[in-house]
Amino acid sequence: MLLLGIDLGTSSIKVSVTDSQTQKCLASAQHPEEESEIIALQPGWAEQSPEMWWEHVQQAILNCNATKLYDPRDIKAIGIAYQMHGLVLVDKDQKVLRNSIIWCDSRSVEIGNKAFDAIGREKCLANMLNSPGNFTASKLAWVKENEPAVYQKIDKLMLPGDFIGMKFSGEITTSISALSEGIFWNFKDDVISEDIMNQFGFDRSLIPDVRDVFAEHGKLKNELAAKLGLSAGIPITYKAGDQPNNALSLNVLKPGEVGANAGTSGVIYGVSDQLTFDKQSRINTFAHVNYTTQSKRLGVLLCINGTGILNRWVRSTIGSAKTYDQMNFEAASVPAGSNGIRIMPFGNGAERMLNNKTIGAHFHNLDLNVHKQSEIFRAVQEGIAFSFRYGLDIMRENGMNPTVIRAGKTNMFSSEVFTEAFVNSCGVPVELYQNDGSVGASIGAGIGFGVLTLENAFSKVKPLKVIEPNAEDEYEIFYQEWKRILVNHISFDSSVSS
């Protein structure tokens, strides 16, 4: 049987069809070809249209079917991975009430900070393992406070993947993992947090039906099946945020295992069996895909908003629309250290690992008479790698000490320059895999359907390459220079600059 996986990204939608017996991807497609717009009505805001996502999902499926590499009627289950922390609101007729306030939107930071103090910092961290920050619950509170007419019409709140599941099936469901990423979940008691609901004055009826990640989340509607060339009634059997899904696809499921990716944002994601939290909430802990109330599996997540988005910005504004491969080739011609250029990649909203500060992206030591495009290209990749090192040190403070990091050979990790800078500045070997979020979602669908298990789904997966740190390189020196510049930008508060 075949499995359909959907990866709802910020830039585009990608879908893949996988054979459940071999776990081989038969075909993939994405839509649109150009990166989707992020709507920024004010500085620090970030929105996207859920209906745009849905149109792109349908077109991506049709594009994949058009390859004629499989029979769409052989697809028996659907899995969905999605950009985390977004807020989607619908009325009783399942009509979208406003654009989604997405993951990198910073407008609700102060609302979250006030709730953190009002509930009590220690209580928040002990129960939710996070501060409310600018996560989904705080975004909903912003709507309630600033758009009361919209708020009054809300029937259900959803994460982005819940919305896509609703469009497929007409059913609205969610999971503990999804609720935890929105800071709606009390891990101590394994219930929806009364502290959050009471603090913001939310009604319990706004929360969808809660089901396991690997469970049926509705069945494909007949009219939609006909439009997409699929069989009516096939179930959605998996929904997970993109970072837990990426970890699943890298077989990062057991305590101590760690994965990373560097797309629009950058993430290091480790698994723990402890109710772990950072006292400053610079890293976040959510329910992993295999979390149950009997077997705690937590995803400890370090997120950097401004990573690959900087590379994209440089390509479109400085790179004369060169391809990423061309930029990587030119960056590789420059020695490590980028001839002194140091770049801070933090230009995509408030950064949690910087205590929710918004410091922007910065270029340092740029000499207009000396430096060339190629040196900027390399400095961008090194700056992104250094931001990962800064975040990894925070994870180390909290007991996460990886001996190896798994990553997909995609996005920034498709660049040898970036991978070299990452490995040598972090001092940890990296295993590179043939990895794809939409393929991971299809495998998740197979686990939810019961044709695969967590134990056997990735038994055939082997790394493409292992990159070991070079003890003789100079990256530690370059990183410490970069870090001193960063500390000057954020503050001299020791709680930030540690």
Side-chain angles (χ1 to χ4, degrees):
M1 62 175 280
L2 304 185
L3 307 164
L4 173 64
I6 298 160
D7 185 10
L8 194 174
T10 310
S11 300
S12 66
I13 309 296
K14 187 170 183 182
V15 304
S16 291
V17 173
T18 301
D19 185 306
S20 64
Q21 278 193 308
T22 64
Q23 291 106 62
K24 297 289 187 183
C25 177
L26 303 181
S28 295
Q30 72 177 49
H31 190 81
E33 292 301 320
E34 296 298 319
E35 292 158 331
S36 297
E37 176 189 15
I38 294 177
I39 302 164
L41 300 177
Q42 294 188 32
W45 290 21
E47 300 182 358
Q48 286 186 322
S49 164
E51 293 295 350
M52 175 194 74
W53 297 336
W54 177 234
E55 289 301 317
H56 291 173
V57 166
Q58 294 176 85
Q59 190 58 54
I61 292 171
L62 293 172
N63 292 348
C64 202
N65 290 349
T67 65
K68 299 189 182 301
L69 296 171
Y70 59 91
D71 185 344
R73 292 169 297 180
D74 290 337
I75 293 170
K76 300 302 181 185
I78 299 171
I80 302 169
Y82 59 88
Q83 51 172 289
M84 297 172 71
H85 313 305
L87 173 68
V88 182
L89 303 172
V90 296
D91 65 14
K92 58 183 177 57
D93 298 316
Q94 298 189 352
K95 292 184 178 178
V96 175
L97 293 170
R98 69 175 324 282
N99 282 336
S100 173
I101 303 175
I102 66 171
W103 57 278
C104 54
D105 187 285
S106 304
R107 76 186 73 182
S108 60
V109 168
E110 285 309 310
I111 289 174
N113 288 343
K114 288 178 182 177
F116 196 27
D117 289 332
I119 294 170
R121 292 177 174 242
E122 290 186 10
K123 187 177 186 182
C124 256
L125 294 175
N127 289 274
M128 276 76 77
L129 309 183
N130 305 284
S131 74
N134 60 328
F135 293 111
T136 314
S138 298
K139 292 177 169 75
L140 180 60
W142 184 93
V143 172
K144 182 182 180 188
E145 183 177 315
N146 293 276
E147 298 175 350
V150 171
Y151 186 83
Q152 289 172 7
K153 296 177 183 177
I154 300 171
D155 180 61
K156 288 290 183 286
L157 69 92
M158 289 177 281
L159 279 294
D162 300 332
F163 170 76
I164 298 302
M166 180 199 78
K167 296 296 283 188
F168 273 124
S169 68
E171 286 193 52
I172 303 178
T173 69
T174 193
S175 67
I176 291 175
S177 183
L179 291 173
S180 75
E181 71 180 76
I183 319 302
F184 289 102
W185 194 252
N186 178 334
F187 283 97
K188 190 173 182 181
D189 300 321
D190 270 321
V191 295
I192 291 169
S193 170
E194 291 186 9
D195 290 317
I196 290 292
M197 301 301 281
N198 293 337
Q199 171 64 29
F200 291 134
F202 298 154
D203 193 282
R204 175 65 178 78
S205 66
L206 297 178
I207 305 289
D209 183 32
V210 182
R211 301 180 187 176
D212 289 341
V213 167
F214 301 104
E216 185 179 304
H217 291 269
K219 293 180 177 177
L220 184 63
K221 294 184 286 190
N222 291 357
E223 65 274 18
L224 189 58
K227 179 180 178 181
L228 298 176
L230 305 175
S231 300
I234 59 176
I236 301 158
T237 54
Y238 171 79
K239 284 192 304 184
D242 52 6
Q243 302 309 329
N245 177 72
N246 184 66
L248 169 73
S249 68
L250 291 168
N251 199 22
V252 173
L253 295 165
K254 299 175 183 176
E257 294 178 335
V258 177
N261 69 70
T264 302
S265 62
V267 167
I268 301 176
Y269 188 102
V271 178
S272 174
D273 56 3
Q274 305 297 313
L275 298 184
T276 301
F277 60 85
D278 176 58
K279 290 182 178 180
Q280 298 178 46
S281 206
R282 297 167 298 174
I283 58 176
N284 301 103
T285 304
F286 307 118
H288 195 24
V289 293
N290 55 343
Y291 178 96
T292 67
T293 54
Q294 295 77 34
S295 178
K296 311 289 188 183
R297 292 294 180 266
L298 290 304
V300 183
L301 184 150
L302 180 284
C303 180
I304 311 160
N305 287 359
T307 55
I309 192 171
L310 172 63
N311 206 37
R312 182 182 76 182
W313 181 88
V314 167
R315 174 177 176 251
S316 62
T317 57
I318 299 174
S320 304
K322 292 180 179 177
T323 66
Y324 289 119
D325 284 343
Q326 288 171 324
M327 291 169 61
N328 293 341
F329 178 79
E330 292 186 24
S333 71
V334 176
S338 306
N339 199 11
I341 302 175
R342 300 288 175 261
I343 295 179
M344 307 291 117
F346 309 112
N348 192 28
E351 293 287 359
R352 269 171 270 158
M353 75 171 186
L354 305 182
N355 297 97
N356 276 328
K357 293 181 182 294
T358 304
I359 70 167
H362 298 268
F363 287 50
H364 289 266
N365 306 330
L366 188 63
D367 188 322
L368 303 179
N369 296 310
V370 172
H371 290 124
K372 303 180 291 295
Q373 272 190 352
S374 56
E375 290 161 324
I376 294 174
F377 295 160
R378 184 173 188 114
V380 165
Q381 298 196 29
E382 290 181 343
I384 294 169
F386 295 154
S387 71
F388 273 96
R389 160 64 188 278
Y390 188 87
L392 181 59
D393 283 350
I394 294 173
M395 296 188 79
R396 286 165 169 152
E397 289 176 30
N398 286 274
M400 188 68 66
N401 292 288
T403 57
V404 65
I405 294 174
R406 298 172 188 164
K409 194 174 187 297
T410 184
N411 297 320
M412 297 299 299
F413 279 104
S414 64
S415 164
E416 291 185 5
V417 168
F418 172 78
T419 305
E420 172 196 337
F422 180 97
V423 168
N424 288 306
S425 56
C426 293
V428 181
V430 166
E431 295 177 349
L432 288 180
Y433 290 82
Q434 194 67 50
N435 165 259
D436 181 278
S438 59
V439 174
S442 70
I443 298 297
I447 296 169
F449 194 77
V451 294
L452 296 171
T453 68
L454 284 167
E455 289 71 32
N456 71 18
F458 303 97
S459 59
K460 301 174 184 177
V461 176
K462 304 297 181 186
L464 299 172
K465 188 177 183 181
V466 179
I467 299 92
E468 298 282 351
N470 179 357
E472 298 179 359
D473 73 48
E474 300 178 279
Y475 269 107
E476 181 64 22
I477 295 171
F478 301 146
Y479 168 70
Q480 292 299 337
E481 292 173 358
W482 180 93
K483 181 180 175 183
R484 284 193 290 272
I485 295 169
L486 174 63
V487 170
N488 287 335
H489 275 295
I490 48 182
S491 77
F492 291 97
D493 184 333
S494 62
S495 67
V496 177
S497 59
S498 59

